[in-house]
Amino acid sequence: MGDRKEARDEEFQSFVIGRWPRLMRTAFLLTGEQHGAEDLVQSTLEQVYVAWRRVGSADDPEAYVRRVMINAHARKHRRRLREFLAPKDDSGLVREIADTGDRIAQAEDRNALLKALSQLPPRQREAVVLRYWEDLTETQTAEAMSCSVGSVKSNAAKGIAKLRAIPGLADIVTQGGRK
């Protein structure tokens, strides 16, 4: 019995170590600040650990964890009218380290993009972050958001349209990746 628990704990620890940067990035994009992202990931992992036997044997444990995180974020911020993605004083924050292949990381001004994301309603932001930043398929995004593929398409399209309408944002992003 103890050997199985130890093996399960090691499997969970390995999962957390391997996925921590990506989970933190997603949480940061959803919450808009480092401490909120850390809290969201920690509370998500607490929930997942309790059910790790079931989660670890799932076809895609990362998708399961991502869905738990999005649901936790949605519950916490359901009544909030506006979330701020960029804190007023971010001098003491540890900056997110982007993946080397992340085109958005190549943009000259990430803060402009983060501020633009903060202007989107939560569901549009979730769709944009999961589809375009996390590079999930429409089906994976729909599963993570607990909605239909049509809702993902609609929310992502509306979110992208709002981002494109922000003066200068498209120029900043395209200069970093696709001249």
Side-chain angles (χ1 to χ4, degrees), residues 25-32 85 114 117 125 129 133-134:
R25 179 178 67 189
T26 301
F28 178 80
L29 292 169
L30 292 173
T31 63
L85 199 52
L114 294 175
L117 280 172
R125 182 179 332 130
V129 166
W133 206 309
E134 294 297 327

Side-chain angles (χ1 to χ4, degrees), residues 124-145:
Q124 289 178 15
R125 182 179 332 130
E126 289 172 3
V128 169
V129 166
L130 294 174
R131 276 290 289 134
Y132 301 107
W133 206 309
E134 294 297 327
D135 201 27
L136 298 181
T137 65
E138 290 170 342
T139 304
Q140 291 170 323
T141 303
E143 289 172 5
M145 292 176 61

Side-chain angles (χ1 to χ4, degrees), residues 81-95:
L81 294 176
R82 184 165 187 95
E83 298 175 50
F84 294 95
L85 199 52
K88 290 181 171 105
D89 178 20
D90 61 355
S91 59
L93 293 181
V94 175
R95 295 287 174 207

Side-chain angles (χ1 to χ4, degrees), residues 29-32 73 77 80-86 111-133 145 152-166 169:
L29 292 169
L30 292 173
T31 63
H73 178 261
H77 297 286
R80 214 176 204 185
L81 294 176
R82 184 165 187 95
E83 298 175 50
F84 294 95
L85 199 52
N111 287 333
L113 181 58
L114 294 175
K115 286 179 184 177
L117 280 172
S118 74
Q119 296 173 16
L120 297 179
R123 294 299 279 181
Q124 289 178 15
R125 182 179 332 130
E126 289 172 3
V128 169
V129 166
L130 294 174
R131 276 290 289 134
Y132 301 107
W133 206 309
M145 292 176 61
V152 169
K153 289 179 180 181
S154 175
N155 280 308
K158 289 175 184 175
I160 292 294
K162 286 181 181 178
L163 292 175
R164 285 184 179 143
I166 296 173
L169 183 62

